């Protein structure tokens, strides 16, 4: 089953500190009575963080990965425990570690959580000890050594695996990130959108990339999940016109039922790039040029909604 009640994404301490702090304050300081001095250890700016969110952007869980390979600060709000959020957070941190070519991870597990970490391959080591007045035990996970970067005529394959964090909070910034993802695409682009936001998608540079992708060969496929088809049918959009002319490669479908309540918007390509905006009517977003775990998570959600969404008749009837 594809999980659509929540998702996990990378977080940036500078941008997301308030939400990260609120989560950990609730779980560790209020619930578990950990002192503030112990919780706020000054290491957060140097760590990688992940956030679990509901589709409306509400933060429900977090975890962090230190430069030394230590996983910690795993926190899930009480109403969401027992629903797989912790496992999703842990797997996201393990995937981040693999991308950073780390070969050994460790953590200090509360005794009650040892079985949870064991299910993810961690092995308990050494005696019990107290940390923040709670019994813990060290656990370790060895990761396979990364494959060597290909050489000899395969520099493009190596280069495409280089990630770059992308953030935006204005229309101009969002257009730049969107364009970078479209230009990086080989044969596929997936767009989940409320109303094909004209300022973002109805301009020459983006439409030209869509045309290039659609004409890129027999594997070409550009898919759009569009919620408000009535507005687009009324106002028109060049991407719809392009889809009518290149109908074998560009397809538009409309989500139904509960899927129409999904508040976010995102863009994916076939080279593990993504841009995710938790509020589809705003320009704030975050993505990466190469982040397979998060891109794959969004792709699975997109594919699941795509399979249950019909083609909107009103867009087929638009005249060219």
């Amino acid at each position: 089953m594809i999980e659509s009640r929540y998702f996990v994404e990378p977080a940036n301490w500078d941008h997301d500190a308030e939400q990260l702090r609120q989560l950990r304050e609730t779980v560790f300081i209020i619930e578990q009575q950990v002192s503030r001095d112990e919780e706020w250890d000054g290491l957060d700016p140097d760590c990688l963080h992940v956030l679990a969110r509901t589709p409306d952007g509400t933060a429900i869980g977090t975890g962090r990965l230190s430069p030394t390979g230590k996983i910690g600060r795993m926190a899930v709000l009480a109403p969401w425990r027992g629903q797989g959020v912790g496992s999703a957070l842990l797997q996201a941190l393990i995937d981040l570690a693999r991308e950073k070519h780390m070969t050994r991870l460790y953590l200090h597990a509360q005794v009650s959580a040892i079985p949870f970490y064991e299910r993810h391959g961690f092995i308990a080591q050494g005696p019990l000890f107290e940390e923040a007045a709670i019994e813990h035990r060290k656990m370790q996970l060895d990761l396979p050594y990364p494959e060597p970067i290909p050489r000899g005529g395969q520099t493009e394959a190596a280069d495409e695996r280089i990630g770059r964090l992308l953030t935006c909070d204005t229309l101009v910034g969002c257009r730049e990130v969107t364009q970078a993802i479209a230009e990086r695409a080989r044969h596929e682009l997936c767009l989940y959108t409320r109303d094909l936001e004209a300022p973002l998608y109805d301009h020459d540079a983006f439409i030209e990339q869509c045309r290039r992708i659609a004409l890129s060969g027999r594997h070409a496929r550009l898919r759009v999940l569009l919620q408000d088809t009535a507005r687009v049918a009324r106002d028109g959009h060049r991407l719809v016109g392009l889809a009518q002319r290149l109908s074998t490669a560009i397809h538009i479908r409309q989500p139904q039922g509960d899927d129409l309540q999904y508040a976010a918007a995102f863009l994916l390509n076939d080279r593990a790039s993504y841009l995710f905006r938790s509020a589809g009517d705003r320009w704030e977003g975050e993505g990466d040029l190469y982040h397979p775990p998060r891109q794959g998570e969004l792709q699975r959600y997109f594919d699941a909604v795509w399979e249950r969404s019909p083609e909107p008749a009103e867009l087929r009837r638009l005249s060219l």
Side-chain angles (χ1 to χ4, degrees), residues 17-73:
E18 182 177 353
Q19 289 180 305
L20 295 167
R21 283 182 176 276
Q22 287 177 350
L23 283 167
R24 287 160 51 182
E25 178 97 11
T26 299
V27 173
F28 297 126
I29 297 175
I30 296 175
E31 290 186 22
Q32 299 184 6
Q33 299 295 301
V34 174
S35 73
R36 283 183 168 80
D37 288 342
E38 288 179 287
E39 177 59 29
W40 308 120
D41 55 10
L43 301 179
D44 286 304
D46 298 321
C47 293
L48 299 174
H49 301 263
V50 292
L51 268 172
R53 300 183 190 269
T54 58
D56 66 2
T58 302
I60 61 173
T62 186
R64 79 180 189 187
L65 174 66
S66 78
T68 64
K70 182 180 180 182
I71 287 177
R73 302 308 196 262

Side-chain angles (χ1 to χ4, degrees), residues 6-10 50-53 85 88-89 92-93 293-294 297:
Y6 59 82
F7 58 88
V8 177
E9 64 178 349
V50 292
L51 268 172
R53 300 183 190 269
V85 180
L89 288 165
L93 291 169
R294 180 63 173 136
E297 184 179 33

Side-chain angles (χ1 to χ4, degrees), residues 250-267:
I250 305 178
H251 307 277
I252 300 174
R253 293 187 182 181
Q254 182 182 26
Q256 302 290 302
D258 291 343
D259 291 329
L260 287 172
Q261 305 306 312
Y262 187 71
F266 56 85
L267 178 69

Side-chain angles (χ1 to χ4, degrees), residues 134-185:
I134 301 172
E135 278 198 324
H136 287 72
R137 194 174 183 189
K138 182 178 179 180
M139 302 189 76
Q140 182 174 297
L141 174 67
D142 290 327
L143 300 175
Y145 281 92
E147 296 181 2
I149 294 176
R151 298 183 181 276
Q154 299 187 42
T155 54
E156 181 183 359
D159 289 344
E160 75 177 31
R161 293 197 300 269
I162 298 174
R164 195 183 91 199
L165 183 66
L166 306 168
T167 59
C168 54
D169 56 13
T170 65
L171 172 58
V172 172
C174 200
R175 282 179 66 159
E176 290 177 353
V177 175
T178 296
Q179 194 64 22
I181 291 173
E183 291 175 358
R184 189 175 172 84

Side-chain angles (χ1 to χ4, degrees), residues 74 84-91 107 109-122 139:
M74 292 277 292
V85 180
S87 291
L89 288 165
L90 182 58
Q91 188 58 54
L107 53 84
Q110 295 183 17
V111 171
S112 61
I114 288 176
F116 165 77
Y117 290 110
E118 285 178 333
R119 290 195 296 272
H120 289 269
F122 284 82
M139 302 189 76

